[in-house]
Amino acid sequence: MSSDSRLDPTTLDGGISLNFECPVPAQGTDHVVMGHGSGGKLTARLIEQTILPALKNPILDVLDDQAMLPLDGGRIAFTTDSYVVTPIFFPGGDIGELAVNGTVNDLAMGGAVPKFLSLALILEEGTPLFDLERVVASVRRAADRAGVVVVTGDTKVVPRGSGDGIFVNTAGIGLVPAGVRLSAQRVSPGDAVILSGQIGDHGVAILASREGLELEGEFSSDTAALHDLVASMLAAHSDIHAMRDPTRGGLAASLVEIATRQKLGIEVDERAIPVDDAVRGACEILGLDPLHVANEGKLVAFVPEVGAEAVLAAMRAHPLGRGAVRIGRVVDTHAGTVVLKTPVGGQRVLDLPFGESLPRIC
């Protein structure tokens, strides 16, 4: 299969025809392919073999969702992200709201209080100005809800056919409270693994909207700003070790990344992971694993056992954490591997896909 090949159209019951671009290149490709943006093995390979060696430094090498920078005796968190979701308007949100919430969440995963954002827009020639107005208005509403201010930005226009309507880049700055130290480097054997709620909602909502799928059930993105939930968790137990928001690559990517980079084992009970019945059914029809599907309003936390119940209680008392559950633990065996206990009582190793069947998802 060549790196730019496409799968044959797939027809579902009811005559729905899907044309998925294959994100998995032939081995040894020397070109960027869609799978490099999937959050799977190709993404990790691109970062670790091409980008990090060129830019290596002690702050970047940590590879958390944000950089922690010392400033006048305190610390600020700094992050940036780009959003290329298709379609730009989808059930439950749009690219503008997604960009604000996603950047706020990257800051929040470091325990920071989000303060300021930048907004850069890459616009394709021919994009309706009405669409741009809707996106910018959504950015403002989401920023107001999150208590952040857009203070700088940039706009570029590319020729028709060179983009996909609207691409968005946001950067964010937040203040890190004294004593808060959230980082994957602190994850330790014995930590409880806690998930804030059901997974897969965002990715399935995007796919259903993009392809016009008539699937049973209502699908809506879970996009939300999580900083208030994080503050509640830290108030309950200030020594939480790490958090991740499982976006590209889903929950699987967050767990596998920490296990492999920190050389730890993680054991997860698959039955404990909440998935909406409609989302699970859609994933079964489409051949997707909910663990690999993107989320935009969920987090996974690594909490010392002594604080696990207090953190769970605080999460369940918050609107964005009502469905919080303990899904597993960190262990000092099978280093670098995530092991799932399956619903039938067996075990399987959770791995990352080489690429991903859902490009341009966030």
Side-chain angles (χ1 to χ4, degrees):
M1 182 181 293
S2 67
S3 61
D4 62 351
S5 62
R6 289 181 179 269
L7 296 176
D8 291 336
T10 300
T11 301
L12 302 178
D13 291 341
I16 300 171
S17 180
L18 305 180
N19 283 285
F20 291 115
E21 181 172 319
C22 179
V24 183
Q27 295 288 336
T29 181
D30 57 359
H31 297 83
V32 173
V33 297
M34 289 301 297
H36 281 118
S38 68
K41 290 183 178 180
L42 279 177
T43 302
R45 184 178 300 176
L46 182 71
I47 292 170
E48 293 169 3
Q49 296 182 3
T50 302
I51 298 173
L52 278 181
L55 302 176
K56 189 175 180 64
N57 65 72
I59 295 175
L60 181 63
D61 290 352
V62 175
L63 286 181
D64 281 331
D65 289 340
Q66 68 299 120
M68 293 294 179
L69 309 174
L71 181 68
D72 294 337
R75 289 176 299 155
I76 63 170
F78 176 55
T79 191
T80 187
D81 208 341
S82 298
Y83 298 85
V84 295
V85 63
T86 304
I88 59 174
F89 303 105
F90 48 83
D94 59 67
I95 194 171
E97 180 182 5
L98 192 69
V100 172
N101 290 344
T103 301
V104 165
N105 290 347
D106 281 348
L107 294 171
M109 294 306 101
V113 179
K115 293 294 185 180
F116 305 107
L117 299 182
S118 70
L119 176 71
L121 302 169
I122 299 177
L123 309 174
E124 183 185 12
E125 179 187 20
T127 297
L129 284 175
F130 179 68
D131 287 353
L132 177 59
E133 291 167 356
R134 287 179 63 190
V135 168
V136 175
S138 182
V139 167
R140 177 58 185 265
R141 288 193 300 270
D144 287 348
R145 285 195 300 269
V148 297
V149 183
V150 177
V151 294
T152 189
D154 183 56
T155 304
K156 294 291 190 297
V157 177
V158 298
R160 191 185 304 267
S162 299
D164 195 14
I166 300 175
F167 292 161
V168 179
N169 174 272
T170 45
I173 294 174
L175 301 179
V176 185
V180 172
R181 294 187 302 128
L182 292 172
S183 174
Q185 294 182 328
R186 299 193 64 221
V187 176
S188 305
D191 284 356
V193 182
I194 297 174
L195 179 64
S196 65
Q198 66 189 32
I199 62 170
D201 294 357
H202 176 74
V204 171
I206 294 294
L207 181 59
S209 179
R210 179 188 303 170
E211 302 295 342
L213 303 182
E214 296 183 4
L215 299 171
E216 185 175 348
E218 296 291 330
F219 303 102
S220 180
S221 172
D222 61 346
T223 179
L226 298 171
H227 57 300
D228 283 341
L229 173 61
V230 170
S232 297
M233 296 166 65
L234 289 169
H237 185 75
S238 62
D239 193 34
I240 296 172
H241 285 164
M243 296 187 197
R244 284 288 189 272
D245 56 334
T247 53
R248 285 188 309 167
L251 178 62
S254 296
L255 297 176
V256 172
E257 173 200 338
I258 286 180
T260 54
R261 288 183 176 156
Q262 305 308 318
K263 297 179 174 57
L264 294 167
I266 298 177
E267 295 180 350
V268 173
D269 185 348
E270 191 171 5
R271 296 168 298 183
I273 300 173
V275 182
D276 180 78
D277 287 342
V279 169
R280 189 183 301 278
C283 287
E284 289 175 355
I285 291 171
L286 298 168
L288 302 173
D289 185 340
L291 292 168
H292 294 139
V293 177
N295 313 273
E296 290 293 343
K298 299 298 186 298
L299 65 81
V300 59
F302 296 81
V303 184
E305 183 59 42
V306 66
E309 289 305 314
V311 169
L312 262 174
M315 295 173 76
R316 290 168 177 166
H318 191 282
L320 296 178
R322 290 195 185 106
V325 290
R326 182 195 297 244
I327 63 169
R329 63 191 180 113
V330 181
V331 297
D332 56 8
T333 57
H334 54 78
T337 303
V338 179
V339 175
L340 285 179
K341 182 179 180 182
T342 68
V344 296
Q347 291 185 334
R348 68 181 176 98
V349 173
L350 180 63
D351 202 357
L352 297 181
F354 199 67
E356 189 180 27
S357 56
L358 300 177
R360 295 190 178 182
I361 206 74
C362 56

